[in-house]
């Protein structure tokens, strides 16, 4: 079993839709939870991070962490074609600070 | 701020040759740099962690003699793929950080290596 599971998609939605992206994990000691956006043939770009449980909102993006269920989500409101990219979740394990464990990434396509 | 560059962005080499990829932190001093590998439509897999002035720590399954990492200064790390083979063709991404938290890693744009 992988430490971090993420449905690779692809996910195709119409412009303006609400998008829900999710990851599950097995290591209960993870403390930092990150979401990255990666355009084709580019490096990942940090969208949001959350420490421990709870919600965090930034513009059209909302990140949620439910540590009791080992489940994290990223919601994108009013999705735009420019949101079309691969979204990767990542987590920090308890040892080796800074070391990131990535999910497989979900490919999102927002069509006009 | 927090810009990381990689050079080259794309390289083609013949099987058996070596190729060097540079990773630079442009506006901060990076105490730690990471090297990742990404196959098409797959996630990033950590290859090694390097700290300035010390030997790199490689992840299990990564050949140290094949992927040579040098972190010569607080702004530069290099990855050399020695005796490259077609199966080494991949997207190599570095990240750099001066902090301890996972979200404080800043990623480079990646280098696409094609071995013919």
């Amino acid at each position: 079993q992988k430490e971090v599971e993420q449905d690779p998609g692809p996910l195709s939605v119409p412009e303006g839709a609400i998008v829900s992206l999710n990851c599950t994990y097995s290591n209960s000691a993870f403390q930092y939870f990150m979401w990255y956006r990666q355009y084709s043939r580019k490096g990942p770009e940090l969208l949001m991070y959350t420490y421990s449980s709870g919600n965090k909102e930034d513009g059209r993006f909302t990140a949620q962490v439910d540590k009791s269920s080992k489940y994290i989500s990223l919601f994108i409101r009013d999705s735009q074609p420019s949101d079309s990219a691969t979204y990767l979740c990542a987590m920090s394990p308890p040892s080796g600070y800074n070391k990131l464990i990535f999910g497989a990434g979900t490919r999102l396509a927002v069509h006009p | 701020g927090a810009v990381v560059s990689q050079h080259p962005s794309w390289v083609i080499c013949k099987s058996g040759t070596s190729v060097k990829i540079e990773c630079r932190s442009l506006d901060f001093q990076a105490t730690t740099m990471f090297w990742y590998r990404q196959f098409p439509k797959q996630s990033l897999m950590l290859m090694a962690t390097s700290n300035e002035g010390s030997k790199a720590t490689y992840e299990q399954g990564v050949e140290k003699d094949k992927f040579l990492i040098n972190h010569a200064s607080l702004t530069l790390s290099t990855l050399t793929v020695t005796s490259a083979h077609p199966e080494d063709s991949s997207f190599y991404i570095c990240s750099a950080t001066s902090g301890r938290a996972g979200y404080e890693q800043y990623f480079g744009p990646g280098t696409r290596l094609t071995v013919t």
Side-chain angles (χ1 to χ4, degrees):
Chain A
Q1 182 190 8
K2 294 181 181 178
E3 280 193 283
V4 179
E5 298 277 1
Q6 183 177 10
D7 186 340
L11 183 62
S12 181
V13 301
E15 183 175 356
I18 297 175
V19 176
S20 173
L21 304 168
N22 312 291
C23 291
T24 59
Y25 63 95
S26 56
N27 190 337
S28 58
F30 285 149
Q31 290 293 335
Y32 284 102
F33 303 89
M34 279 67 68
W35 285 96
Y36 292 86
R37 177 173 62 195
Q38 185 178 25
Y39 292 111
S40 181
R41 301 189 179 188
K42 299 292 183 183
E45 168 195 12
L46 178 66
L47 281 175
M48 299 180 70
Y49 75 91
T50 309
Y51 178 75
S52 195
S53 284
N55 295 356
K56 190 172 186 179
E57 186 173 323
D58 184 2
R60 297 186 294 112
F61 299 89
T62 300
Q64 289 184 352
V65 175
D66 181 350
K67 292 194 73 176
S68 63
S69 303
K70 298 189 181 68
Y71 188 87
I72 71 170
S73 301
L74 177 70
F75 298 96
I76 306 174
R77 291 184 298 280
D78 187 25
S79 55
Q80 302 295 310
S82 58
D83 295 328
S84 299
T86 296
Y87 290 80
L88 298 142
C89 64
M91 304 173 193
S92 289
S95 62
Y97 61 89
N98 241 314
K99 183 175 176 179
L100 298 179
I101 307 298
F102 282 89
T106 300
R107 286 179 290 134
L108 171 67
V110 181
H111 51 86
Chain B
V3 178
V4 176
S5 70
Q6 280 185 244
H7 178 80
S9 57
W10 188 22
V11 58
I12 302 174
C13 70
K14 292 187 176 181
S15 185
T17 62
S18 296
V19 60
K20 181 183 287 187
I21 302 169
E22 290 186 350
C23 176
R24 294 182 184 271
S25 56
L26 298 185
D27 52 3
F28 68 101
Q29 293 187 323
T31 51
T32 305
M33 288 185 170
F34 302 85
W35 287 95
Y36 295 84
R37 186 173 181 176
Q38 187 177 34
F39 290 106
K41 299 183 180 180
Q42 294 189 28
S43 189
L44 281 76
M45 297 300 296
L46 180 64
M47 299 174 65
T49 303
S50 74
N51 294 292
E52 185 264 340
S54 45
K55 290 184 178 180
T57 301
Y58 291 82
E59 295 298 301
Q60 190 173 9
V62 177
E63 298 177 60
K64 301 178 182 181
D65 294 333
K66 181 166 191 61
F67 299 100
L68 301 178
I69 292 172
N70 185 295
H71 193 158
S73 74
L74 287 172
T75 59
L76 173 64
S77 176
T78 60
L79 168 68
T80 301
V81 183
T82 63
S83 187
H85 291 284
E87 56 266 30
D88 298 323
S89 299
S90 188
F91 195 50
Y92 292 88
I93 303 174
C94 73
S95 69
T97 183
S98 59
R100 287 176 170 258
Y103 67 88
E104 293 178 298
Q105 280 190 42
Y106 300 98
F107 287 83
T111 296
R112 181 162 303 281
L113 170 63
T114 302
V115 184
T116 61

